[in-house]
Structure formats: C-alpha cells, structure tokens
Amino acid sequence: MRKNRNRPESDEPLSEGRVEYLEAARQRVRNRRIRRTAVLLVLLTAVVLFATGIAGSSVAALKDLTDTARIALLPGSGWPQQTGVAELEQMAPLTGSFVELGDEGCVVWSRTGKKLNSIQSGYARPALAAGKTRFVLYNRSGNELRVESRTQNLYTKQLENSIFLCAMSDNGTLAVVTEDQTSMAKLLVYSPSMEQQLSWSMTSNDGTPLRMAFSPDSRKLPASRRIAVAAVTANGGQLTTNLYVLALAQGDPVQLGTATSVPQWLGWTSASTILAVYDTRAVLYNAGGGERAVYDFAGTELKDVSVDAAGNVALLLASGQVSQAVTLDKNLNVQFSAAVPAANSIVRAGNLFYLLADNAVECFDASGTQQWSQNLDTSPQALLANSKDLLLFSGNTVQKLEAPAE
C-alpha cells in the first residue's frame, strides 16, 4: 500500500506576510479585550459609587476613577516623545501621569508615553498647582481658573478679582488667593465639587500669601483637613513672613511662627510637621505650633530645593562660582554637605539625588558618593523620578533616562 506523503495544508510553513497578518489579528483581539475590561471596570465603579451615594456628592470623583482605569489599561507607546512644550515653565507629577506648562498652555501625558490632554488657555501669565488626579490652571494677570482632570475640563470659574496664587490638595480641594478691595488679600477654599468652604480676608498685619500647601490627610474627616499658608508683609521696612495653619472645618488661623526672610518652598512632610525653606534657613515646624528643627545656610545663595515624598531634603547652594549640595533627612539632620560640580537644579529621590547641569545629569547617593554621570546633547530642564524609572525633560522632548552601563 502506498503511503500518502502529502502533508495537510495546516502543516505548510507560513509566509512572512501571513505571520504578520495573524499577529495583527491577535493584537486586535487583545485590544478589544482590554477595552471591554476597561468599560466593565468603569461600569462597575459607577454602580458602586451610586450604591454608596458618593456620586451624588461629586461626579468628578467618578471621572477621576475613570481616568485612572483608562491610564492603567490603555498604556502608551513609551519614550521618547515630543510633548510640544519647548520652554518648560512648570512640571508637576500626577497619579500615573504628569502635566507640563509652557508659555502657551499645558499638556498631560501618562507615565507610559500616552498623550491624555492638551489645553490652550491663552492666559498671559499662566501657572498651575497640582494634586494627585487633578490640577488647576490659572491666570496670574486675570481672574479665570480651570480645574482639570487628567483628560478633561471639570470646572471653569471666573472670580471677582485678580488671582495671586492657587493650591490643590490630593483630593481636589482648591485654595485661591485673590485681590480684595477692603483688605490685603482674600483666601478662598473650594470643595472638590467647587462649593465654597472658607473665606479669609487678610489684613496688612496678616500679609499676602506667597506659598500654600494642603496637609496630606485631606482625604480623612473634615476636622483633620488643614492648609499651611506662608504670608509676606512689611514690618518696619523689612519683609516678614507669617506662617499659619488653618483647619478647614473651623477656618480659624493659628500662627506657627515668623521669619525675616522670604519662603522659597513650603510643604507638609507628615500629618504633623511642616517644612518651610526660606532664603537663609530651613525650618521644620510642628503643625500645632513651635519649631522642631532648623538648618541654617546663611551666607550662601539658595539656587534650588527638592523634597521627596518621605520628607528628605536636598539643597543646591552657591557661594560665588562654587556650587554646594546639602542633603538632610526628614528631621533636618545633615547627611552630606560639600562642593559639587556646577549645576542648575537638584532633585531628591529617596537615598539618591540628581544634579542637572548645562548638558549633563549626575547621580549621587545621600552621602555624596557619585553613582554615575551622563552627558546630554541638550540642556536638561527637569527630571521626574519615581520608583520605576527616570523621565528627563529637555527642549520639547521627554525621554527615559537610563544609568550608563559600567
């Protein structure tokens, strides 16, 4: 009996075009599954929110959760990417993303390289303040502000007077400082649904807020929500900074201290401590009042300051042509202090800090030991550091920065 030596058609080797076609078909199936999963997750989230009554108090919370699901389930194509912001004025991290501000507007990108939003505001002097899932874009020479999620506009508001300053909490509570016809300035606080919670007309003795920061416990009960305010006033021909803490539930300011220099950075390092970095010293305050620790750097120029999520501090100082880096722990104990190569800015990230020079990025540990150095073709403008990767901003490009191979 003769054997049939003809192989089945399914055993024939596939051509290159056939392989590409099948791979594309598999990718389409995977994408459809991801989209279905995202839709089901959003619908399930909506059901839970309405069942618990949360959506009735803030529809914006549903939009924030929808954004988070979309960013997680529909990743971008990676880096590098041209973001369209040639001259970077501000950059702020958001949950799973970041926002860049230029002179003509701002853009939002996911950490995986997907463009999420683009805003052309037309503001003459734009500025932004960011929380975790939303940010406020405002006009410092006008009276309009826009509250944005990572993908869309939530609110646009016209205020009666010009805006000086804004701050955004992690849960979307907004603080706005405006001109006031009867006092130095007025501080207004709005809930995440843009309902006014608090108003404080500040006198010349109180000062005009220059820095503001919400406490990290702003998702808890209203009684625990607070905001720190550093307000500058003139006292006997000298600038004086008054530091206050306001409990949003009562609205009664408590003065923590007074300094005879201008605040360059203000933030909460824990639920009970506030760090203020002035021209000549860094002060750690107890939220209930009084100084806990001080680091004095009088006699040098403060070029930059960076504080990571754990409250660790990095200062970039200058004395003539010499640059100096100082690292402090969350209690302002000195970890490292010495001269370093000339740099324009410093970034603290846990046990590491980075120096951004004209055409290079250098990495050191907290004790000042250099880990690596990398030369660049363009001048770095900002560095976003997290536990997974480093994103470098230069020109209109964002790229992932890898440590050089040994």
Side-chain angles (χ1 to χ4, degrees), residues 134 145 147 155-157 172 174 176 190-196:
R134 63 180 69 181
L145 61 82
V147 176
Y155 307 101
T156 299
K157 187 173 183 61
L174 173 65
V176 185
Y190 296 91
S191 71
S193 56
M194 287 304 288
E195 298 174 352
Q196 185 173 317

Side-chain angles (χ1 to χ4, degrees), residues 265 267-277 282-287 291-295 306-315 326-336 348-351 366:
W265 192 92
W268 294 71
T269 56
S270 72
S272 60
T273 54
I274 301 165
L275 176 64
V277 180
V283 183
L284 188 66
Y285 295 92
N286 293 307
E291 297 180 357
R292 176 177 291 191
V294 176
Y295 177 75
S306 177
V307 183
D308 68 10
N312 300 306
V313 184
L315 304 174
V326 178
T327 58
L328 311 169
D329 66 16
K330 62 182 180 180
N331 295 313
L332 299 190
N333 297 311
V334 177
Q335 298 173 307
F336 166 75
R348 182 73 193 257
N351 195 41

Side-chain angles (χ1 to χ4, degrees), residues 2 38 49 76 82 106-107 140 149 163 188 230 245-246 294 299 305 314 347 363 376-377 380 387:
R2 295 178 59 187
L49 288 173
Q82 291 187 343
C106 63
V107 293
R140 289 175 294 175
S149 75
I163 300 172
L188 303 167
V245 168
L246 283 80
V294 176
V305 56
V347 177
C363 175
L376 305 170
D377 295 330
S387 58

Side-chain angles (χ1 to χ4, degrees), residues 45-62 65 193 219:
T45 302
V47 170
V48 173
L49 288 173
F50 278 102
T52 57
I54 298 177
S57 61
S58 178
V59 176
L62 177 59
L65 291 172
S193 56
R219 288 184 179 272

Side-chain angles (χ1 to χ4, degrees), residues 11-334:
D11 289 345
E12 293 292 333
L14 297 177
S15 65
E16 184 178 349
R18 182 65 175 172
V19 171
E20 293 178 354
Y21 173 80
L22 291 175
E23 183 59 32
R26 294 189 188 100
Q27 185 62 44
R28 287 194 295 271
V29 172
R30 285 194 293 266
N31 289 340
R32 283 198 295 269
R33 289 174 178 169
I34 291 174
R35 286 194 291 269
R36 283 199 301 267
T37 303
V39 171
L40 290 173
L41 180 59
V42 170
L43 292 175
L44 179 61
T45 302
V47 170
V48 173
L49 288 173
F50 278 102
T52 57
I54 298 177
S57 61
S58 178
V59 176
L62 177 59
K63 295 181 180 179
D64 291 340
L65 291 172
T66 303
D67 287 347
T68 300
R70 288 177 57 189
I71 293 170
L73 296 172
L74 300 175
S77 57
W79 307 103
Q81 296 284 352
Q82 291 187 343
T83 63
V85 178
E87 295 295 331
L88 181 63
E89 296 186 5
Q90 280 183 266
M91 185 279 296
L94 301 165
T95 300
S97 59
F98 60 84
V99 55
E100 283 187 88
L101 175 65
D103 56 359
E104 296 182 355
C106 63
V107 293
V108 184
W109 285 76
S110 74
R111 297 286 180 94
T112 56
K114 183 179 181 62
K115 190 174 183 178
L116 303 176
N117 199 359
S118 178
I119 304 164
Q120 300 296 322
S121 63
Y123 293 161
R125 297 179 62 215
L128 63 83
K132 284 189 174 179
T133 58
R134 63 180 69 181
F135 63 94
V136 55
L137 175 65
Y138 61 99
N139 189 3
R140 289 175 294 175
S141 61
N143 62 344
E144 183 179 281
L145 61 82
R146 299 167 57 101
V147 176
E148 304 282 337
S149 75
R150 289 162 288 178
T151 63
Q152 60 187 304
N153 176 260
L154 300 177
Y155 307 101
T156 299
K157 187 173 183 61
Q158 299 281 342
L159 300 173
E160 295 181 359
N161 299 302
S162 297
I163 300 172
F164 289 153
L165 180 67
C166 288
M168 179 72 73
S169 77
D170 288 346
N171 79 328
T173 302
L174 173 65
V176 185
V177 179
T178 69
E179 289 183 332
D180 190 44
Q181 303 300 324
T182 59
S183 60
M184 286 288 290
K186 179 176 286 188
L187 172 61
L188 303 167
V189 178
Y190 296 91
S191 71
S193 56
M194 287 304 288
E195 298 174 352
Q196 185 173 317
Q197 290 183 263
L198 181 66
S199 176
W200 178 22
S201 292
M202 304 181 69
T203 66
S204 58
N205 291 331
D206 299 325
T208 301
L210 190 62
R211 308 283 176 189
M212 297 189 297
F214 281 95
S215 62
D217 56 356
S218 54
R219 288 184 179 272
K220 297 180 181 180
L221 296 175
S224 67
R225 297 174 183 170
R226 293 172 289 180
I227 183 172
V229 179
V232 177
T233 186
N235 186 3
Q238 185 178 26
L239 286 178
T240 300
T241 298
N242 296 321
L243 182 62
Y244 303 95
V245 168
L246 283 80
L248 302 187
Q250 294 89 15
D252 296 326
V254 175
Q255 186 169 349
L256 300 188
T258 301
T260 56
S261 55
V262 178
Q264 304 298 319
W265 192 92
L266 180 70
W268 294 71
T269 56
S270 72
S272 60
T273 54
I274 301 165
L275 176 64
V277 180
Y278 301 98
D279 292 331
T280 57
R281 63 178 191 154
V283 183
L284 188 66
Y285 295 92
N286 293 307
E291 297 180 357
R292 176 177 291 191
V294 176
Y295 177 75
D296 196 318
F297 49 90
T300 59
E301 175 192 357
L302 178 64
K303 294 186 65 175
D304 196 22
V305 56
S306 177
V307 183
D308 68 10
N312 300 306
V313 184
L315 304 174
L316 181 60
L317 309 175
S319 179
Q321 300 298 317
V322 178
S323 294
Q324 178 186 358
V326 178
T327 58
L328 311 169
D329 66 16
K330 62 182 180 180
N331 295 313
L332 299 190
N333 297 311
V334 177

